[in-house]
């Protein structure tokens, strides 16, 4: 009987530890999203000069601090995770430092300061390091979770065996043990569902359900390797919604979020099954197009995407007038590496904004 109680106690303990790891993995996702939101606010301000975007930056900064405080408390007994978290704290400080300096340069030097591009590139480098650290911590937490699951299975087996042996002697104890085991099984299944959801959230945008920035990096890496070995071409389309901020300002974030969901569905209706669509953050989307032969196919695709907004988008019964500015970069025409292609597509998208919005531009020859 003592052996059974010990196994049951350990089962509850490992279940609680696994729950803690699930919460930590969820907070890792939330941390990445908070930093991305802050970055969107910074980029919005640099693009438009509107100080309202600074509120988004500060909100992202506040959410980042809150998540870091939670993770700090949760990882007090996990030295292997603590090391990575301390590194992330340093990188987050650097990231916001770079964003703050960029804002100051914008305020004092104007839109065309040569320092902006340098700070932007530095910010992306720091963000890449943050993403790598987040991935590393998530991998460590996943391994911890797998270890806890293994221990839970062992304790479950021990509990069932103990319950069976004890049930031979005392029917009443058998019934009690059966009830406890059933509850524990339900808890295990529930935890598995939470873990599955957390794993999905780590790679997908919580609002639109589209792949997120992390998934874009993985997909582009795979697409690049395939293209390099098969000598095929692929293209990256950066898409930024025109007029989205005005929708948020006029109707609130609830309508803005509903609009993003509607836009994501509209995009998917005109894309092929092989096209990869993701939400980069804020009102930015990334489209990776493979298996095409001529640039005209990209031109036609861009025109179809722009045509989606030729009429107001009905959202919650409200006709919303928005557009989309698109920047296109082709491999290997505009770059030999993914990072270079992303930069070209991003710049081409800004060229579309400067040329009047709701249009597309290819990267510089």
């Amino acid at each position: 009987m003592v052996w059974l109680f010990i196994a049951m106690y350990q089962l509850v303990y490992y279940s609680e530890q696994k729950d803690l790891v699930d919460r930590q993995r969820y907070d890792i996702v939330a941390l990445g999203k908070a930093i991305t939101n802050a970055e969107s606010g910074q980029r919005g301000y640099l693009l438009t000069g509107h100080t309202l975007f600074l509120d988004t930056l500060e909100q992202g900064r506040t959410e980042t601090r809150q998540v870091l405080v939670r993770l700090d408390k949760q990882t007090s007994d996990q030295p292997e995770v603590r090391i990575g978290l301390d590194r992330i704290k340093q990188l987050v400080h650097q990231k916001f430092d770079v964003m703050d300096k960029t804002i100051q340069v914008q305020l004092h030097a104007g839109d065309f300061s040569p320092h902006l591009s340098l700070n932007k590139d530095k910010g992306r480098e720091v963000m890449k390091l943050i993403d790598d650290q987040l991935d590393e911590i998530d991998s460590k937490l996943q391994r911890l979770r797998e270890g806890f699951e293994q221990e839970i299975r062992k304790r479950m087996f021990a509990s069932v065996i103990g319950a069976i042996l004890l049930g031979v002697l005392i029917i009443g104890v058998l019934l009690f043990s059966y009830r406890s085991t059933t509850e524990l099984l339900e808890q295990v299944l529930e935890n598995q569902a939470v873990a599955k959801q957390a794993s999905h959230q780590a790679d997908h945008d919580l609002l639109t359900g589209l792949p997120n920035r992390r998934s874009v990096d993985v997909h582009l890496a795979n697409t690049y390797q395939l293209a390099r070995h098969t000598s095929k071409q692929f293209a990256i389309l950066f898409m930024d919604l025109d007029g989205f901020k005005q929708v948020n300002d006029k109707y609130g974030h609830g309508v803005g979020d509903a609009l993003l969901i509607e836009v994501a569905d509209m995009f998917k209706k005109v894309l092929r099954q092989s096209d990869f669509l993701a939400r980069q953050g804020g009102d930015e989307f990334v489209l990776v197009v493979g298996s095409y032969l001529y640039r005209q196919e990209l031109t036609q695709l861009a025109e179809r995407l722009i045509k989606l907004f030729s009429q107001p988008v009905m959202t919650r019964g409200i006709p919303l007038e928005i557009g989309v500015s698109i920047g296109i970069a082709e491999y290997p025409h505009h770059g030999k590496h993914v990072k270079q292609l992303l930069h070209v597509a991003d710049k081409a998208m800004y060229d579309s904004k400067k040329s009047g919005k709701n249009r597309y531009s290819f990267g510089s020859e």
Side-chain angles (χ1 to χ4, degrees), residues 168-182:
V168 173
L169 301 175
I170 309 173
I171 297 300
V173 175
L174 175 62
L175 295 174
F176 174 80
S177 299
Y178 174 76
R179 178 183 298 178
S180 300
T181 304
T182 301

PDB file of all heavy atoms in Angstrom, residues 168-182:
ATOM      1  N   VAL A 168      -7.282  -7.166  -5.108  1.00  0.00           N
ATOM      2  CA  VAL A 168      -7.491  -8.583  -4.787  1.00  0.00           C
ATOM      3  C   VAL A 168      -7.836  -8.743  -3.318  1.00  0.00           C
ATOM      4  O   VAL A 168      -8.642  -9.601  -2.938  1.00  0.00           O
ATOM      5  CB  VAL A 168      -6.234  -9.399  -5.150  1.00  0.00           C
ATOM      6  CG1 VAL A 168      -6.356 -10.841  -4.684  1.00  0.00           C
ATOM      7  CG2 VAL A 168      -5.993  -9.351  -6.658  1.00  0.00           C
ATOM      8  N   LEU A 169      -7.276  -7.899  -2.471  1.00  0.00           N
ATOM      9  CA  LEU A 169      -7.501  -8.014  -1.025  1.00  0.00           C
ATOM     10  C   LEU A 169      -8.696  -7.188  -0.573  1.00  0.00           C
ATOM     11  O   LEU A 169      -9.486  -7.607   0.244  1.00  0.00           O
ATOM     12  CB  LEU A 169      -6.241  -7.576  -0.257  1.00  0.00           C
ATOM     13  CG  LEU A 169      -4.964  -8.371  -0.568  1.00  0.00           C
ATOM     14  CD1 LEU A 169      -3.787  -7.756   0.167  1.00  0.00           C
ATOM     15  CD2 LEU A 169      -5.146  -9.840  -0.168  1.00  0.00           C
ATOM     16  N   ILE A 170      -8.811  -5.996  -1.109  1.00  0.00           N
ATOM     17  CA  ILE A 170      -9.869  -5.099  -0.610  1.00  0.00           C
ATOM     18  C   ILE A 170     -10.608  -4.484  -1.794  1.00  0.00           C
ATOM     19  O   ILE A 170     -10.048  -3.672  -2.535  1.00  0.00           O
ATOM     20  CB  ILE A 170      -9.289  -3.993   0.281  1.00  0.00           C
ATOM     21  CG1 ILE A 170      -8.396  -4.589   1.374  1.00  0.00           C
ATOM     22  CG2 ILE A 170     -10.397  -3.168   0.911  1.00  0.00           C
ATOM     23  CD1 ILE A 170      -7.669  -3.545   2.183  1.00  0.00           C
ATOM     24  N   ILE A 171     -11.858  -4.900  -1.963  1.00  0.00           N
ATOM     25  CA  ILE A 171     -12.661  -4.417  -3.082  1.00  0.00           C
ATOM     26  C   ILE A 171     -12.871  -2.908  -2.984  1.00  0.00           C
ATOM     27  O   ILE A 171     -12.835  -2.188  -3.999  1.00  0.00           O
ATOM     28  CB  ILE A 171     -14.028  -5.137  -3.111  1.00  0.00           C
ATOM     29  CG1 ILE A 171     -13.823  -6.630  -3.342  1.00  0.00           C
ATOM     30  CG2 ILE A 171     -14.894  -4.554  -4.226  1.00  0.00           C
ATOM     31  CD1 ILE A 171     -13.136  -6.978  -4.630  1.00  0.00           C
ATOM     32  N   GLY A 172     -13.053  -2.441  -1.809  1.00  0.00           N
ATOM     33  CA  GLY A 172     -13.310  -1.011  -1.620  1.00  0.00           C
ATOM     34  C   GLY A 172     -12.125  -0.165  -2.064  1.00  0.00           C
ATOM     35  O   GLY A 172     -12.300   0.885  -2.700  1.00  0.00           O
ATOM     36  N   VAL A 173     -10.916  -0.631  -1.720  1.00  0.00           N
ATOM     37  CA  VAL A 173      -9.726   0.112  -2.123  1.00  0.00           C
ATOM     38  C   VAL A 173      -9.578   0.085  -3.633  1.00  0.00           C
ATOM     39  O   VAL A 173      -9.127   1.058  -4.255  1.00  0.00           O
ATOM     40  CB  VAL A 173      -8.479  -0.467  -1.432  1.00  0.00           C
ATOM     41  CG1 VAL A 173      -7.215   0.209  -1.932  1.00  0.00           C
ATOM     42  CG2 VAL A 173      -8.595  -0.305   0.086  1.00  0.00           C
ATOM     43  N   LEU A 174      -9.972  -1.061  -4.247  1.00  0.00           N
ATOM     44  CA  LEU A 174      -9.929  -1.169  -5.699  1.00  0.00           C
ATOM     45  C   LEU A 174     -10.792  -0.100  -6.367  1.00  0.00           C
ATOM     46  O   LEU A 174     -10.374   0.554  -7.332  1.00  0.00           O
ATOM     47  CB  LEU A 174     -10.400  -2.564  -6.126  1.00  0.00           C
ATOM     48  CG  LEU A 174     -10.516  -2.801  -7.625  1.00  0.00           C
ATOM     49  CD1 LEU A 174      -9.175  -2.650  -8.305  1.00  0.00           C
ATOM     50  CD2 LEU A 174     -11.131  -4.133  -7.910  1.00  0.00           C
ATOM     51  N   LEU A 175     -12.007   0.098  -5.847  1.00  0.00           N
ATOM     52  CA  LEU A 175     -12.898   1.099  -6.425  1.00  0.00           C
ATOM     53  C   LEU A 175     -12.325   2.510  -6.271  1.00  0.00           C
ATOM     54  O   LEU A 175     -12.390   3.329  -7.194  1.00  0.00           O
ATOM     55  CB  LEU A 175     -14.273   1.001  -5.763  1.00  0.00           C
ATOM     56  CG  LEU A 175     -15.043  -0.312  -6.019  1.00  0.00           C
ATOM     57  CD1 LEU A 175     -16.310  -0.350  -5.189  1.00  0.00           C
ATOM     58  CD2 LEU A 175     -15.347  -0.458  -7.507  1.00  0.00           C
ATOM     59  N   PHE A 176     -11.759   2.760  -5.116  1.00  0.00           N
ATOM     60  CA  PHE A 176     -11.160   4.073  -4.873  1.00  0.00           C
ATOM     61  C   PHE A 176      -9.979   4.315  -5.805  1.00  0.00           C
ATOM     62  O   PHE A 176      -9.818   5.395  -6.383  1.00  0.00           O
ATOM     63  CB  PHE A 176     -10.711   4.164  -3.414  1.00  0.00           C
ATOM     64  CG  PHE A 176      -9.953   5.425  -3.102  1.00  0.00           C
ATOM     65  CD1 PHE A 176     -10.628   6.613  -2.881  1.00  0.00           C
ATOM     66  CD2 PHE A 176      -8.563   5.417  -3.048  1.00  0.00           C
ATOM     67  CE1 PHE A 176      -9.930   7.775  -2.596  1.00  0.00           C
ATOM     68  CE2 PHE A 176      -7.865   6.574  -2.763  1.00  0.00           C
ATOM     69  CZ  PHE A 176      -8.541   7.758  -2.544  1.00  0.00           C
ATOM     70  N   SER A 177      -9.155   3.269  -5.945  1.00  0.00           N
ATOM     71  CA  SER A 177      -7.987   3.401  -6.817  1.00  0.00           C
ATOM     72  C   SER A 177      -8.409   3.588  -8.260  1.00  0.00           C
ATOM     73  O   SER A 177      -7.768   4.335  -9.013  1.00  0.00           O
ATOM     74  CB  SER A 177      -7.105   2.155  -6.676  1.00  0.00           C
ATOM     75  OG  SER A 177      -6.658   2.014  -5.355  1.00  0.00           O
ATOM     76  N   TYR A 178      -9.459   2.903  -8.669  1.00  0.00           N
ATOM     77  CA  TYR A 178      -9.949   3.028 -10.050  1.00  0.00           C
ATOM     78  C   TYR A 178     -10.390   4.465 -10.331  1.00  0.00           C
ATOM     79  O   TYR A 178     -10.075   5.038 -11.392  1.00  0.00           O
ATOM     80  CB  TYR A 178     -11.113   2.070 -10.264  1.00  0.00           C
ATOM     81  CG  TYR A 178     -11.773   2.227 -11.608  1.00  0.00           C
ATOM     82  CD1 TYR A 178     -11.183   1.728 -12.762  1.00  0.00           C
ATOM     83  CD2 TYR A 178     -12.996   2.906 -11.721  1.00  0.00           C
ATOM     84  CE1 TYR A 178     -11.787   1.881 -13.997  1.00  0.00           C
ATOM     85  CE2 TYR A 178     -13.595   3.068 -12.952  1.00  0.00           C
ATOM     86  CZ  TYR A 178     -12.989   2.550 -14.080  1.00  0.00           C
ATOM     87  OH  TYR A 178     -13.591   2.720 -15.300  1.00  0.00           O
ATOM     88  N   ARG A 179     -11.107   5.050  -9.358  1.00  0.00           N
ATOM     89  CA  ARG A 179     -11.555   6.434  -9.543  1.00  0.00           C
ATOM     90  C   ARG A 179     -10.359   7.381  -9.653  1.00  0.00           C
ATOM     91  O   ARG A 179     -10.316   8.263 -10.528  1.00  0.00           O
ATOM     92  CB  ARG A 179     -12.449   6.844  -8.380  1.00  0.00           C
ATOM     93  CG  ARG A 179     -12.929   8.286  -8.469  1.00  0.00           C
ATOM     94  CD  ARG A 179     -13.743   8.675  -7.257  1.00  0.00           C
ATOM     95  NE  ARG A 179     -14.958   7.864  -7.149  1.00  0.00           N
ATOM     96  CZ  ARG A 179     -15.827   7.980  -6.148  1.00  0.00           C
ATOM     97  NH1 ARG A 179     -15.585   8.851  -5.170  1.00  0.00           N
ATOM     98  NH2 ARG A 179     -16.898   7.237  -6.113  1.00  0.00           N
ATOM     99  N   SER A 180      -9.389   7.200  -8.771  1.00  0.00           N
ATOM    100  CA  SER A 180      -8.206   8.068  -8.797  1.00  0.00           C
ATOM    101  C   SER A 180      -7.438   7.921 -10.104  1.00  0.00           C
ATOM    102  O   SER A 180      -6.989   8.908 -10.703  1.00  0.00           O
ATOM    103  CB  SER A 180      -7.285   7.728  -7.618  1.00  0.00           C
ATOM    104  OG  SER A 180      -7.950   7.900  -6.394  1.00  0.00           O
ATOM    105  N   THR A 181      -7.303   6.659 -10.548  1.00  0.00           N
ATOM    106  CA  THR A 181      -6.574   6.419 -11.788  1.00  0.00           C
ATOM    107  C   THR A 181      -7.286   7.045 -12.981  1.00  0.00           C
ATOM    108  O   THR A 181      -6.661   7.614 -13.883  1.00  0.00           O
ATOM    109  CB  THR A 181      -6.409   4.906 -12.019  1.00  0.00           C
ATOM    110  OG1 THR A 181      -5.761   4.328 -10.887  1.00  0.00           O
ATOM    111  CG2 THR A 181      -5.569   4.640 -13.263  1.00  0.00           C
ATOM    112  N   THR A 182      -8.623   6.955 -12.995  1.00  0.00           N
ATOM    113  CA  THR A 182      -9.397   7.543 -14.088  1.00  0.00           C
ATOM    114  C   THR A 182      -9.197   9.056 -14.138  1.00  0.00           C
ATOM    115  O   THR A 182      -9.025   9.646 -15.212  1.00  0.00           O
ATOM    116  CB  THR A 182     -10.886   7.222 -13.907  1.00  0.00           C
ATOM    117  OG1 THR A 182     -11.063   5.806 -13.897  1.00  0.00           O
ATOM    118  CG2 THR A 182     -11.705   7.824 -15.045  1.00  0.00           C
TER     119      THR A 182
END
